[in-house]
Amino acid sequence: MTEDDDWRPDKREHYRDVIARVNHFLSQLIQRSEGTFCVVSHGVWIECCFHVHAPSILANGNRVRNCDMFVAECISQHGNFMALQNVRKIE
Protein backbone atom coordinates (compact mmCIF):
# COMPACT_ATOMS: atom_id res chain seq x y z
CA MET A 1 0.00 0.00 0.00
CA THR A 2 2.13 2.85 -1.26
CA GLU A 3 -0.09 4.88 -3.54
CA ASP A 4 -3.21 6.93 -2.86
CA ASP A 5 -5.42 6.01 -5.81
CA ASP A 6 -8.10 8.46 -4.67
CA TRP A 7 -5.87 11.52 -5.09
CA ARG A 8 -5.84 13.27 -8.46
CA PRO A 9 -3.14 15.81 -9.36
CA ASP A 10 -5.47 17.61 -11.76
CA LYS A 11 -8.36 18.08 -9.30
CA ARG A 12 -8.43 20.53 -6.40
CA GLU A 13 -9.85 18.83 -3.34
CA HIS A 14 -12.47 20.11 -0.95
CA TYR A 15 -12.38 19.23 2.75
CA ARG A 16 -15.01 16.50 2.26
CA ASP A 17 -12.82 14.93 -0.46
CA VAL A 18 -9.82 14.78 1.87
CA ILE A 19 -11.95 13.26 4.64
CA ALA A 20 -13.24 10.64 2.20
CA ARG A 21 -9.62 9.77 1.30
CA VAL A 22 -8.66 9.64 4.99
CA ASN A 23 -11.53 7.28 5.78
CA HIS A 24 -10.77 5.09 2.78
CA PHE A 25 -7.11 4.90 3.77
CA LEU A 26 -7.91 3.98 7.39
CA SER A 27 -10.33 1.30 6.20
CA GLN A 28 -7.58 -0.19 4.03
CA LEU A 29 -4.97 0.13 6.76
CA ILE A 30 -6.82 -2.01 9.27
CA GLN A 31 -7.17 -4.80 6.70
CA ARG A 32 -3.40 -5.30 6.65
CA SER A 33 -1.72 -8.05 8.64
CA GLU A 34 1.12 -5.91 9.97
CA GLY A 35 0.63 -4.55 13.46
CA THR A 36 2.73 -1.39 13.22
CA PHE A 37 2.76 1.22 10.46
CA CYS A 38 4.55 4.40 9.54
CA VAL A 39 2.27 6.81 7.69
CA VAL A 40 3.97 9.66 5.84
CA SER A 41 1.83 12.42 4.40
CA HIS A 42 1.35 16.16 4.13
CA GLY A 43 0.44 18.00 7.31
CA VAL A 44 -2.96 19.02 5.94
CA TRP A 45 -3.97 15.40 5.26
CA ILE A 46 -2.99 14.35 8.78
CA GLU A 47 -4.65 17.42 10.27
CA CYS A 48 -7.91 16.55 8.48
CA CYS A 49 -7.61 13.00 9.81
CA PHE A 50 -7.18 14.29 13.36
CA HIS A 51 -9.99 16.82 12.95
CA VAL A 52 -12.42 13.93 12.44
CA HIS A 53 -10.81 11.07 14.37
CA ALA A 54 -8.72 12.72 17.12
CA PRO A 55 -9.89 16.33 17.58
CA SER A 56 -8.30 16.73 21.01
CA ILE A 57 -4.82 16.74 19.40
CA LEU A 58 -5.85 19.98 17.64
CA ALA A 59 -7.09 21.68 20.82
CA ASN A 60 -6.04 25.25 21.60
CA GLY A 61 -5.38 26.02 17.95
CA ASN A 62 -2.69 23.35 17.52
CA ARG A 63 -1.81 22.58 13.92
CA VAL A 64 -0.10 19.70 12.16
CA ARG A 65 2.97 20.84 10.26
CA ASN A 66 4.84 18.97 7.56
CA CYS A 67 7.43 16.68 9.18
CA ASP A 68 5.56 16.55 12.50
CA MET A 69 5.52 13.05 13.94
CA PHE A 70 2.67 11.48 15.86
CA VAL A 71 1.94 8.06 17.27
CA ALA A 72 -1.59 6.64 17.54
CA GLU A 73 -3.48 3.40 17.98
CA CYS A 74 -5.86 2.46 15.19
CA ILE A 75 -8.86 0.64 16.68
CA SER A 76 -10.99 -1.72 14.63
CA GLN A 77 -13.91 -3.99 15.33
CA HIS A 78 -14.95 -6.89 13.11
CA GLY A 79 -12.59 -5.63 10.41
CA ASN A 80 -13.99 -2.08 10.41
CA PHE A 81 -12.09 1.04 11.40
CA MET A 82 -13.54 2.47 14.61
CA ALA A 83 -11.24 5.13 16.02
CA LEU A 84 -7.81 6.56 16.60
CA GLN A 85 -6.84 6.64 20.25
CA ASN A 86 -3.87 7.60 22.38
CA VAL A 87 -2.74 10.07 19.73
CA ARG A 88 0.28 12.08 20.78
CA LYS A 89 2.94 14.19 19.13
CA ILE A 90 6.52 12.97 19.26
CA GLU A 91 8.73 15.88 20.22
Side-chain angles (χ1 to χ4, degrees), residues 2-8 21 24 28:
T2 59
E3 295 294 325
D4 183 349
D5 295 330
D6 294 330
W7 180 78
R8 301 285 181 253
R21 284 196 307 120
H24 184 237
Q28 289 182 317

Side-chain angles (χ1 to χ4, degrees), residues 41-43 64-70 89-90:
S41 185
H42 294 279
V64 176
R65 309 281 184 215
N66 288 339
C67 299
D68 279 352
M69 293 186 296
F70 295 84
K89 186 175 180 179
I90 300 171

Side-chain angles (χ1 to χ4, degrees), residues 13-72:
E13 291 182 297
H14 296 280
Y15 175 77
R16 69 181 177 277
D17 300 322
V18 177
I19 296 305
R21 284 196 307 120
V22 164
N23 290 335
H24 184 237
F25 172 80
L26 293 171
S27 294
Q28 289 182 317
L29 187 69
I30 59 148
Q31 300 299 319
R32 299 193 54 93
S33 61
E34 300 91 337
T36 303
F37 304 92
C38 177
V39 176
V40 178
S41 185
H42 294 279
V44 171
W45 188 96
I46 295 173
E47 191 168 283
C48 288
C49 176
F50 290 165
H51 185 258
V52 173
H53 297 294
S56 63
I57 201 75
L58 301 175
N60 301 318
N62 290 332
R63 299 287 313 267
V64 176
R65 309 281 184 215
N66 288 339
C67 299
D68 279 352
M69 293 186 296
F70 295 84
V71 63

